Amino acid sequence: MTPGVPAAGTRETFSRPAGGVPADVSSESPTAGSPAAGFPAESPAATEAAEPDAPEGGPPEEEPRRRDPLWARLLIVFGALLMLVSGGLFVGYKLLVARASSSVTQSDLLGDAGNQAAHHVNINGPVNILLIGIDTRPGQNPSDLSRADSIIIAHVPASHQEAYLVSIPRDTLVSIPANPQTGWAGGNEKINAAFAFGSQNGGGIAGGVHLLGETIKAPYGIGFDAAAVVDFAGFQQVVSVLGGVDMCVDEKTTSIHIGFTADGKEAVPFRQDADLNLHAVPGVTPKVYEPGCRHLAPWEALDYTRQRDLLANGDADYGRQRHQQQFIRAVFKQILSAGVLSNPAKLSRVLDTVGKAMTVDTGGIGIGDWIYAMRDIGGSDLLSIKTNNGQFNTTFVPGIGACEKLTDTSLQLLQSVRDDSVATFVSAHPDWLAS
């Protein structure tokens, strides 16, 4: 057992607005036990802190992740602060900059893992932002470690005309550098453990971000100009302030977290046994998200984007990554919509909520400068790229479990991020762009 990593715990439940059963609750019920059967046990370092997850790398069954929407909290949050311009029109620019600057918790997260360390800071040229989703839940024991649920690299080319989102699968096998300050001796592990090892024993959020940044920089050569960490509760609040989000569901998705009894009461539709197999709970119909475009209430958006076990295409964690990135784009677009930007009161609430939900490292550059530099990037300019083209490339490592390995083409993708040639990569691999 690897020391210092939280063990699996119990699954959390979602809260949703009071009321009856949503109008679109499906009566379809999935086959019990279909998802996570037969996977090897994960090492403690890769075991989710709040909800047991099956090791990544198999059929539809990947790690039944505890709470997810962290990826989202990241970019929606960081993006909301960095992009306050729509169609070239500034909306109360100075006022908004002041609001954003005062609302957001700023800290030196990257340390010497950042590109600006010991250098003159500027925002010219290509920019890489490390976006990390964690899940520190209300009432969580302060001694419990939080691991990186989502790891996204937001790459902005030198033109500052668009941004590419590249997810690193949380079960990617990497060598995590030693961190004497927190007692981590170094070694091979799943990349999501880097944040935990860096934050343990007093390292805190800054220690977690620093070690994760070093873990990415060492093998892939990618340094970061800024970073943002957002948690689950904050993400939920941001979506609530927005009043939900418009999304297009691209595959039938059955929730393992939210279901309803015949009399309309909310209940968990599946239970998970010690071997991480799912079993349908009698009398509970799971919430089902059918393909199509619609407005999702905050609780629906949150639930949909955290599913990975019962996806119709059987793409498990890769499907969830794609849905997370689609969600980021949808929320970002909504934040930049006229309905928000032209409503000072609503925008103020969004920025206040964003500020409370995240911690950012701006790389020594003022938020106002970030906003101005990224002014031409709109919601439709966020392009998602599928790591490993959304396909499993699993290997079993004794003592760790089922891990993902990046393919040669994925390594080329990361090299293009490093060299600011992502547009060239996309031209050569158009099918890697997520819709």
Side-chain angles (χ1 to χ4, degrees):
M1 176 176 290
T2 307
V5 179
T10 58
R11 178 173 11 213
E12 79 171 0
T13 57
F14 283 86
S15 61
R16 66 178 184 84
V21 181
D24 57 344
V25 172
S26 169
S27 62
E28 297 185 55
S29 179
T31 303
S34 60
F39 279 87
E42 288 187 306
S43 68
T47 304
E48 287 300 282
E51 173 182 328
D53 280 1
E56 180 173 51
E61 47 215 43
E62 290 245 45
E63 31 176 53
R65 211 156 169 100
R66 24 172 205 165
R67 57 256 158 177
D68 311 349
L70 328 137
W71 62 103
R73 348 170 196 192
L74 312 183
L75 229 188
I76 60 176
V77 177
F78 202 52
L81 302 171
L82 304 189
M83 334 292 191
L84 293 180
V85 182
S86 179
L89 175 64
F90 284 89
V91 181
Y93 176 72
K94 291 184 178 180
L95 177 61
L96 294 180
V97 169
R99 166 68 71 178
S101 299
S102 63
S103 297
V104 180
T105 300
Q106 300 185 53
S107 179
D108 180 10
L109 302 176
L110 291 166
D112 56 15
N115 287 337
Q116 305 294 359
H119 297 291
H120 175 68
V121 296
N122 65 73
I123 200 170
N124 300 323
V127 172
N128 293 320
I129 303 170
L130 178 60
L131 305 171
I132 304 169
I134 61 175
D135 220 347
T136 304
R137 294 167 300 153
Q140 177 173 309
N141 189 325
S143 63
D144 290 344
L145 298 180
S146 295
R147 296 176 311 135
D149 247 3
S150 294
I151 303 169
I152 296 177
I153 298 172
H155 174 73
V156 180
S159 65
H160 294 180
Q161 296 295 307
E162 66 270 326
Y164 297 96
L165 306 181
V166 179
S167 291
I168 298 181
R170 61 195 240 20
D171 283 351
T172 301
L173 182 65
V174 294
S175 175
I176 301 177
N179 190 354
Q181 297 94 321
T182 62
W184 166 242
N188 293 332
E189 260 298 352
K190 297 183 180 182
I191 195 170
N192 69 336
F195 187 91
F197 292 140
S199 62
Q200 67 183 0
N201 299 327
I205 290 178
V209 175
H210 178 267
L211 185 57
L212 180 55
E214 290 285 7
T215 300
I216 295 173
K217 187 175 183 179
Y220 310 130
I222 299 173
F224 295 99
D225 302 279
V229 179
V230 186
D231 66 22
F232 175 88
F235 157 81
Q236 186 176 20
Q237 292 164 4
V238 171
V239 181
S240 294
V241 171
L242 290 172
V245 64
D246 295 326
M247 281 194 68
C248 292
V249 176
D250 62 3
E251 63 179 318
K252 181 179 176 180
T253 300
T254 301
S255 175
I256 68 169
H257 303 108
I258 294 181
F260 299 90
T261 60
D263 57 359
K265 294 182 179 179
E266 183 176 323
V268 176
F270 294 91
R271 63 178 180 81
Q272 193 172 50
D273 62 28
D275 295 322
L276 303 179
N277 299 318
L278 293 179
H279 303 276
V281 175
V284 179
T285 299
K287 168 71 176 176
V288 174
Y289 303 89
E290 296 287 355
C293 299
R294 62 181 62 86
H295 183 81
L296 297 180
W299 69 270
E300 291 178 307
L302 196 60
D303 184 49
Y304 169 67
T305 53
R306 72 188 298 254
Q307 302 305 319
R308 59 176 301 279
D309 294 283
L310 298 179
L311 303 182
N313 295 340
D315 43 7
D317 205 45
Y318 285 102
R320 181 172 57 186
Q321 287 177 13
R322 185 177 68 256
H323 297 163
Q324 291 172 352
Q325 292 183 344
Q326 291 168 348
F327 176 80
I328 289 172
R329 297 200 308 270
V331 174
F332 184 65
K333 186 174 183 178
Q334 193 157 325
I335 289 175
L336 294 180
S337 68
V340 175
L341 289 180
S342 63
N343 185 329
K346 188 167 187 177
L347 182 57
S348 178
R349 291 197 302 273
V350 170
L351 291 178
D352 280 342
T353 305
V354 161
K356 295 173 183 177
M358 67 185 296
T359 301
V360 302
D361 181 346
T362 64
I365 299 169
I367 287 180
D369 292 328
W370 273 105
I371 292 173
Y372 185 79
M374 302 295 138
R375 66 191 181 280
D376 293 329
I377 301 178
S380 60
D381 299 318
L382 289 174
L383 306 176
S384 300
I385 305 178
K386 298 178 290 186
T387 311
N388 282 2
N389 198 20
Q391 304 297 316
F392 292 106
N393 187 36
T394 308
T395 183
F396 183 78
V397 180
I400 299 178
C403 301
E404 282 295 289
K405 294 187 67 175
L406 297 182
T407 62
D408 290 341
T409 307
S410 287
L411 294 177
Q412 292 173 19
L413 167 60
L414 293 180
Q415 181 177 337
S416 74
V417 171
R418 183 192 67 192
D419 300 337
D420 191 25
S421 58
V422 180
T424 301
F425 176 89
V426 170
S427 296
H429 307 279
D431 57 320
W432 281 49
L433 275 180
S435 58

